[in-house]
Amino acid sequence: MTDQLSVAPKQLALLMFASLLTDAFIQPFGRQSSVPSAQMGILSAAIQMVGFAVVFWLFMKKFNNVLETKWGCGALAAVLLLSATLEIIQGERFYSYVMDADLPVASFLVIMFFAVFYGVYSGMDALSRTAAIILALTGISIGFLLISILPQLRFVNLQPAALKVAPLLDSLKQQIYFPPELLVWAYLLKQSDQKKKNNRSQLVFCWLFTASSLFYLLGEMTLGRAYQNQEQPLFTIARLGGISVFRRLDALHVSVWLLLFLIKITLYFSMIAMLLKKIWPALEKHVPYYLAAAGALVLFLLTWSQVENTAYMVQQGMLLFLGIIMLLPIHKKETFK
Amino acid sequence: MKQIKCVFLLLLISICCCGCTQSGIGDKVIVKAIFLDRSSQYAAQLLVLKTSPSADAGDASETTEFITGQGASLYEALRSAEESTSSDVFYGQNELLFIGPSLQREGMFESCRYLARNSSSGRPNMAVYGIDAVPEHVLLLEDSGKQFLDHISQLVKQGAYRTYLYQMIVEDETALLPLLHCEDEGNVQPAGLKVYQKGKESELWVGPAVELAALFSGQSGVKNLELYIDKEPITVTLRSPELFYDCVENNTNMDLQIHLSGHVQQVLGAEGLYKKCEQQKMLKQINEQIETIVSIMLETAFQPFGDVFLLENRFRNQNDLLAMKMKDAGALYQLQRIHFSSELKIV
């Protein structure tokens, strides 16, 4: 694994954008009762992005050095392990949902861990460059999606409603979350000592908001009243569209979205492996990854189809706790540096 | 070199996972249409394409056949049909769903919801049609399966009304179901448009009402309206017909003005095409007849329990608070709120 310091802020921003964008394509199963209307979704996304920007700004300003201690690294590694597990569960479920041919969970995990292993030991720099390529592919995928569903877009399908606080709060409650990427991003910038340079976080949050808003609008304008019943609305509209004789473009879209998912998982595992190596420098080259994979596998078996919602609440609680700790005016003397 | 090996290995793994390892193309039957009906049990009939690939392209062949199944639920019926063949049933290319007469009366929306949820057998872009053939008659299509599919694609190309599966899963169970009359040798003819509100059949639209409903549903294209001028049947071909909506607001209520614009391309009567000067003379009557037909359609389509053309959204897009206030006061769903005018011109 190469040193994370070699990642330029611009590349890091692209990597974080790719990782955060995955959530817009692969909606969590079972976590929300229904998809919010486009109006509520866009408003919630705007509030959420402002929240992200504020939290990230605070991290940049007030980030203490707790993550430089063994305790801090261990806590971040633990929360990332839980986050990776939850993402793997959602990814596997999404894969089973979109694919006609059944793939046993074990095969999915083996292939995914193999690909992630390759990604982790290619280094963060290679990962961020791959993310840039996959983002370009995602742009093409969205372009094709737009063209393919253009005949079915109808403005009258939009479900307008006078702005009221209660539905907005409901929508926010369902949508808002604390992504581990914010902590990871701030941590990596601090590590690389490049936090004073332009980290392009505002641009990333703006693009995230644009992408989310576009997906909400496309979903509702295409599906109309059926939009809010969809588990994976973007996948549903991807299945609707076709260009000329090409009817199954959804397979191409999904392959690009799954690549984004792989980037996200690889980022998490890269971070876990890096943190474990920091805690125990004596670990052999690939051992941190094996430990992380084993930990994720155990958590996967413990949470899968059983306590996913509880695990999600624990993850969010841990992230929030860690985020608050990072902002407290604490300065630890015993750090790795 | 190491990287090349890794990439090669990844490609090899991808090939192993591409879905063709378990069965070849010759072992699959490709579903081209699903027919569903329900009498005492659910009946599922899958019109499948069976391919016999050959190294010599000339020997390769394609035949259609039905695989059928019955069961207490739709799941069981589909599963029974799948188990009736030794081949793998592949749904990935199917875009047609036909609902039989009994299921049209009861259980259609539940069946559509099941298929929409089930990503393997259902696709949201499946075109849904009501068909007047019972399962026994559907089986007679086996030999003429290809002609049947060709006729359906011709109808689609001609701009026949289309309803997709995702439009049939709405909670208020309000939808328009295009009907087909099945004739011998795989011939099919459009047989109108069935209006469903709150899951119940409320009306059957035929002739020009179907073409106008397509316009209201945003399905553009050339429209052929069968009208009567002085009791003589004529077919009016419209070029680029389009509806324009304008919601006019005053202090206490709103009115929706809808204008049909476009050009009359040709008028065909019993004795052939009418000349331009004759068309000009009958233009007023054509416009008036269209206005009459639309006002009759709106009597059914614009109801609080089933807003077929989503006209409420047009009001709400203008002023949501006022629209909701009117709705609560019972003043929104009234025909006098909508002013339709046909303003067709001669090319």
Side-chain angles (χ1 to χ4, degrees):
Chain A
M1 190 168 52
T2 56
D3 192 352
Q4 76 283 355
L5 302 182
S6 61
V7 184
K10 188 180 169 185
Q11 275 184 306
L12 198 57
L14 277 174
L15 177 59
M16 293 302 155
F17 179 50
S19 183
L20 286 165
L21 191 62
T22 313
D23 300 334
F25 288 107
I26 302 176
Q27 297 279 323
F29 285 87
R31 215 175 277 162
Q32 48 190 19
S33 51
S34 66
V35 178
S37 68
Q39 187 185 10
M40 286 301 153
I42 292 171
L43 279 171
S44 307
I47 294 169
Q48 180 157 325
M49 289 311 141
V50 171
F52 284 5
V54 170
V55 170
F56 191 72
W57 177 79
L58 281 172
F59 281 164
M60 286 287 96
K61 286 274 173 199
K62 309 265 183 194
F63 219 55
N64 58 35
N65 67 344
V66 172
L67 282 186
E68 296 301 320
T69 62
K70 283 192 175 181
W71 179 89
C73 280
L76 184 59
V79 76
L80 283 174
L81 194 65
L82 187 56
S83 308
T85 308
L86 289 171
E87 290 301 331
I88 293 170
I89 291 173
Q90 297 303 332
E92 192 278 328
R93 205 157 286 159
F94 181 75
Y95 184 86
S96 312
Y97 181 78
V98 300
M99 291 293 165
D100 288 341
D102 288 335
L103 182 70
V105 181
S107 308
F108 175 86
L109 292 176
V110 167
I111 294 167
M112 190 209 68
F113 278 128
F114 182 80
V116 171
F117 174 84
Y118 183 71
V120 167
Y121 289 99
S122 297
M124 203 69 95
D125 190 40
L127 185 64
S128 61
R129 278 186 276 123
T130 313
I133 296 168
I134 293 171
L135 277 176
L137 285 175
T138 310
I140 296 169
S141 157
I142 295 171
F144 274 121
L145 185 69
L146 261 172
I147 297 168
S148 66
I149 58 165
L150 216 52
Q152 290 171 64
L153 288 180
R154 293 192 71 205
F155 277 103
V156 71
N157 281 339
L158 289 174
Q159 315 274 307
L163 200 56
K164 286 177 188 160
V165 178
L168 183 62
L169 286 178
D170 273 351
S171 170
L172 265 177
K173 207 167 71 183
Q174 281 188 12
Q175 273 192 283
I176 210 152
Y177 71 108
F178 191 151
E181 282 84 351
L182 292 184
L183 265 177
V184 170
W185 195 355
Y187 175 74
L188 286 177
L189 280 173
K190 193 174 165 69
Q191 285 283 298
S192 62
D193 213 20
Q194 289 175 324
K195 67 175 181 176
K196 282 182 184 164
K197 289 187 185 170
N198 182 9
N199 55 48
R200 293 172 175 82
S201 61
Q202 288 172 0
L203 203 60
V204 167
F205 298 137
C206 281
W207 274 108
L208 268 179
F209 169 70
T210 311
S212 308
S213 306
L214 178 72
F215 299 155
Y216 279 121
L217 282 175
L218 284 183
E220 196 163 282
M221 280 170 71
T222 315
L223 299 173
R225 289 173 297 177
Y227 170 68
Q228 289 174 44
N229 303 335
Q230 301 299 315
E231 265 188 309
Q232 299 290 335
L234 209 56
F235 175 61
T236 306
I237 60 170
R239 297 176 90 197
L240 279 178
I243 300 174
S244 183
V245 292
F246 302 105
R247 309 302 303 167
R248 292 298 307 263
L249 291 173
D250 53 311
L252 291 175
H253 295 307
V254 164
S255 59
V256 175
W257 304 348
L258 284 172
L259 285 175
L260 273 179
F261 160 77
L262 266 183
I263 291 285
K264 189 183 184 86
I265 294 290
T266 311
L267 169 70
Y268 287 0
F269 275 98
S270 298
M271 283 301 299
I272 299 166
M274 193 182 80
L275 293 165
L276 289 180
K277 186 82 180 163
K278 272 198 158 186
I279 299 169
W280 296 294
L283 287 176
E284 293 285 323
K285 194 183 174 191
H286 295 151
V287 175
Y289 177 73
Y290 298 147
L291 285 176
L297 208 57
V298 170
L299 280 177
F300 182 88
L301 294 173
L302 286 175
T303 50
W304 189 43
S305 302
Q306 296 170 64
V307 285
E308 284 171 34
N309 276 330
T310 315
Y312 173 67
M313 297 310 287
V314 170
Q315 178 230 19
Q316 288 295 297
M318 282 171 79
L319 279 168
L320 205 61
F321 176 72
L322 209 54
I324 292 167
I325 293 285
M326 293 303 109
L327 296 174
L328 292 177
I330 306 169
H331 191 79
K332 293 276 177 188
K333 284 179 184 169
E334 285 181 24
T335 65
F336 296 114
K337 284 184 178 172
Chain B
M1 193 60 198
K2 193 180 168 189
Q3 283 191 344
I4 292 170
K5 277 182 191 168
C6 281
V7 170
F8 184 73
L9 196 62
L10 273 175
L11 282 175
L12 200 67
I13 292 172
S14 313
I15 290 165
C16 293
C17 298
C18 75
C20 292
T21 47
Q22 289 164 351
S23 58
I25 189 77
D27 304 323
K28 284 183 195 288
V29 287
I30 298 161
V31 179
K32 300 301 284 184
I34 300 178
F35 293 77
L36 298 177
D37 207 354
R38 178 187 178 183
S39 46
S40 56
Q41 293 196 95
Y42 279 93
Q45 295 167 299
L46 311 179
L47 180 63
V48 298
L49 202 61
K50 205 165 188 179
T51 53
S52 309
S54 168
D56 181 359
D59 291 342
S61 64
E62 277 183 349
T63 50
T64 53
E65 65 177 52
F66 271 104
I67 56 174
T68 61
Q70 290 194 326
S73 66
L74 186 54
Y75 166 76
E76 283 176 22
L78 282 168
R79 196 173 168 147
S80 156
E82 287 164 19
E83 285 171 352
S84 69
T85 175
S86 57
S87 307
D88 284 342
V89 179
F90 179 67
Y91 288 95
Q93 288 185 7
N94 178 35
E95 291 186 355
L96 292 171
L97 172 66
F98 297 95
I99 308 282
S102 303
L103 199 60
Q104 284 173 39
R105 281 191 289 278
E106 197 183 347
M108 179 178 70
F109 286 96
E110 286 95 327
S111 305
C112 289
R113 272 194 285 272
Y114 170 77
L115 285 173
R117 272 200 310 272
N118 189 337
S119 63
S120 62
S121 52
R123 289 181 58 76
N125 63 341
M126 283 162 80
V128 187
Y129 295 98
I131 196 159
D132 59 358
V134 292
E136 295 76 33
H137 290 157
V138 169
L139 285 178
L140 299 176
L141 291 170
E142 186 159 70
D143 295 333
S144 52
K146 275 190 178 170
Q147 290 96 302
F148 174 78
L149 294 172
D150 286 344
H151 282 131
I152 298 288
S153 36
Q154 270 174 19
L155 281 178
V156 172
K157 276 182 196 157
Q158 286 162 10
Y161 193 93
R162 299 177 300 281
T163 293
Y164 294 105
L165 185 66
Y166 73 88
Q167 293 170 316
M168 303 291 286
I169 58 168
V170 286
E171 272 174 19
D172 65 356
E173 299 191 342
T174 295
L176 293 171
L177 179 73
L179 299 182
L180 294 178
H181 169 59
C182 196
E183 296 170 345
D184 295 337
E185 294 178 356
N187 286 331
V188 280
Q189 293 296 329
L193 198 57
K194 209 179 253 187
V195 185
Y196 284 85
Q197 286 163 310
K198 286 271 171 207
K200 299 265 185 290
E201 302 173 9
S202 53
E203 200 162 307
L204 178 68
W205 289 339
V206 289
V210 179
E211 303 282 306
L212 291 166
L215 275 180
F216 273 94
S217 300
Q219 298 173 13
S220 53
V222 175
K223 302 288 169 213
N224 292 308
L225 303 181
E226 287 168 8
L227 304 173
Y228 286 88
I229 298 289
D230 301 330
K231 295 184 180 171
E232 286 293 321
I234 57 162
T235 304
V236 182
T237 304
L238 303 184
R239 199 175 75 182
S240 317
E242 211 168 339
L243 290 173
F244 291 94
Y245 297 85
D246 186 15
C247 203
V248 182
E249 188 180 341
N250 58 41
N251 291 336
T252 51
N253 56 37
M254 284 184 284
D255 287 334
L256 181 64
Q257 294 177 345
I258 309 172
H259 310 279
L260 170 64
S261 89
H263 291 98
V264 175
Q265 192 172 21
Q266 63 175 40
V267 180
L268 184 68
E271 291 167 9
L273 286 175
Y274 284 92
K275 290 177 186 165
K276 292 285 171 198
C277 54
E278 291 169 322
Q279 289 178 15
Q280 197 67 49
K281 277 181 199 163
M282 57 176 74
L283 184 63
K284 195 178 171 213
Q285 285 186 70
I286 290 172
N287 278 326
E288 281 172 359
Q289 253 190 63
I290 291 172
E291 284 169 10
T292 310
I293 294 165
V294 168
S295 68
I296 294 168
M297 285 167 69
L298 289 177
E299 275 176 30
T300 308
F302 188 53
Q303 292 291 344
F305 52 83
D307 181 10
V308 177
F309 300 127
L310 304 174
L311 296 178
E312 183 187 316
N313 281 5
R314 305 271 177 192
F315 288 94
R316 293 183 66 184
N317 274 321
Q318 176 69 25
N319 185 337
D320 183 58
L321 281 176
L322 183 55
M324 294 315 284
K325 210 170 148 186
M326 286 169 67
K327 193 178 176 184
D328 291 343
L332 183 69
Y333 283 97
Q334 289 185 353
L335 278 180
Q336 64 262 34
R337 296 271 75 89
I338 297 176
H339 309 277
F340 177 81
S341 61
S342 174
E343 292 159 14
L344 296 172
K345 294 188 171 87
I346 304 291
V347 174

